[in-house]
Amino acid sequence: MTDDSTPTNSTRTNSTLTSRRTVLTGIAATLSTATVVGAQETTTEEGETTTGDETTTEAETTTERGETRTFEVRIVNISGPNALTPEDGEPGPVVLSPGAYAVHTPAVQLFAPGESASAGLEALAEDGDPTTLGEEVTGADGILESGAFDTPIAGGEPGPIGPGSAYGFRFEAAPGERLSFATMFVPSNDLFFAPGPQGIELFRNGDAVSGEVTEQVALWDAGTEQNEEPGTGPNQAPRQSGPDTGPDEDAPVRRIEEVDDGYEYPSVSDSIQVLVVPEGGDLGGQTTAEGETTTGAGGTTTTTN
């Protein structure tokens, strides 16, 4: 996390439950199944709100943020079962890993294009483990809230998600604040989906944004491990022998379009859909590459003729 200013407050944190080994173990199962998802949220006696295994805890506020709004986010895997068509392997879907998010001031960046990835971003981009990245942003200057998402919104075990499934979380933000997140493009060596380093603007002209923000999301190469053909590389999950394996690459973080590795990658818009709405807003339905429409990022799935 980089910061061009020196804000003094960090008002929210939450923990992640996923280890690098756990994520890698879950990927093989995800590749063979797809889950229909539906939101599950509870409120504890201490005032914590949980979504699946995502927990946000209120902490003491040290500076004025202005009036906040509660937002809900859905990160939906809309890829088809044959999104990847490698020359030297079987077709397969895009799989998304657990990820980390942060609400921050405009001066803060989750990563900096053209510079080396942090240890946390490397762990997420190579092995789908958001633990270290979450620790890096929690409590950092300019971070107003941070956390991890690791469980499909229908519930179940923490882990990666395949086509038709979604992650969800909620947070509070005030005008001027932005949202950043990162989730691994699993059939790769070190690629991840994320907004640009400036994050997603949550208010425009004082009004809360509401709707799809996928156009602000890109596929990035962390530059920490040499790329192999997506979905076939021996150093990619679930084929790799363990976490943090594969030849190192000393390259900066870049958009995948700027990487000349000779491989083809599915488009962002055919892989992932991201919706941000104020609490109580319409999360709508999403259409997968196979013509299926999901309602509210899950719950029911119908086929469009």
Side-chain angles (χ1 to χ4, degrees):
M1 177 69 67
T2 61
D3 186 359
D4 297 330
S5 67
T6 56
T8 58
N9 66 314
S10 175
T11 62
R12 288 189 169 194
T13 62
N14 65 304
S15 61
T16 181
L17 309 174
T18 313
S19 70
R20 298 175 89 165
R21 176 67 67 178
T22 299
V23 171
L24 293 174
T25 301
I27 288 170
T30 302
L31 287 170
S32 62
T33 61
T35 305
V36 176
V37 293
Q40 293 183 338
E41 297 175 343
T42 60
T43 302
T44 69
E45 294 180 357
E46 289 75 23
E48 297 179 335
T49 300
T50 64
T51 302
D53 280 345
E54 185 269 339
T55 303
T56 300
T57 304
E58 293 282 1
E60 183 180 358
T61 301
T62 57
T63 65
E64 288 294 331
R65 294 178 66 187
E67 184 177 356
T68 62
R69 292 283 302 273
T70 300
F71 290 85
E72 297 184 65
V73 176
R74 292 290 182 269
I75 299 174
V76 191
N77 186 331
I78 60 169
S79 70
N82 299 322
L84 302 176
T85 55
E87 293 183 1
D88 300 324
E90 295 295 323
V94 170
V95 176
L96 304 179
S97 78
Y101 73 90
V103 179
H104 55 86
T105 63
V108 175
Q109 297 181 344
L110 195 65
F111 60 93
E115 298 183 9
S116 298
S118 68
L121 186 60
E122 177 180 0
L124 183 139
E126 290 188 10
D127 298 314
D129 177 14
T131 306
T132 303
L133 183 58
E135 292 171 349
E136 288 177 353
V137 301
T138 298
D141 287 346
I143 302 297
L144 292 313
E145 182 176 336
S146 63
F149 48 90
D150 62 5
T151 303
I153 61 174
E157 294 297 319
I161 59 172
S165 294
Y167 292 118
F169 58 90
R170 60 174 55 192
F171 60 86
E172 289 191 3
E177 297 171 1
R178 296 172 178 264
L179 170 68
S180 291
F181 69 87
T183 176
M184 182 187 181
F185 176 84
V186 170
S188 73
N189 297 81
D190 63 345
L191 271 57
F192 63 99
F193 290 109
Q198 73 279 0
I200 295 170
E201 188 177 14
L202 296 169
F203 292 83
R204 293 172 185 163
N205 299 321
D207 296 326
V209 301
S210 181
E212 185 174 352
V213 294
T214 311
E215 70 278 0
Q216 300 183 56
V217 177
L219 182 60
W220 300 85
D221 188 329
T224 58
E225 184 175 308
Q226 295 179 20
N227 290 344
E228 299 166 331
E229 186 174 19
T232 65
N235 295 302
Q236 300 168 357
R239 292 166 296 279
Q240 66 186 44
S241 59
D244 197 22
T245 58
D248 290 337
E249 179 186 27
D250 186 18
V253 178
R254 297 167 289 173
R255 287 176 178 261
I256 193 61
E257 295 88 350
E258 300 174 6
V259 178
D260 184 16
D261 60 11
Y263 303 127
E264 293 185 1
Y265 298 89
S267 68
V268 173
S269 61
D270 286 338
S271 304
I272 188 173
Q273 188 173 50
V274 182
L275 298 102
V276 178
V277 302
E279 184 177 32
D282 182 13
L283 284 166
Q286 299 80 46
T287 303
T288 70
E290 300 304 304
E292 293 185 335
T293 300
T294 61
T295 302
T300 61
T301 302
T302 59
T303 301
T304 303
N305 294 326

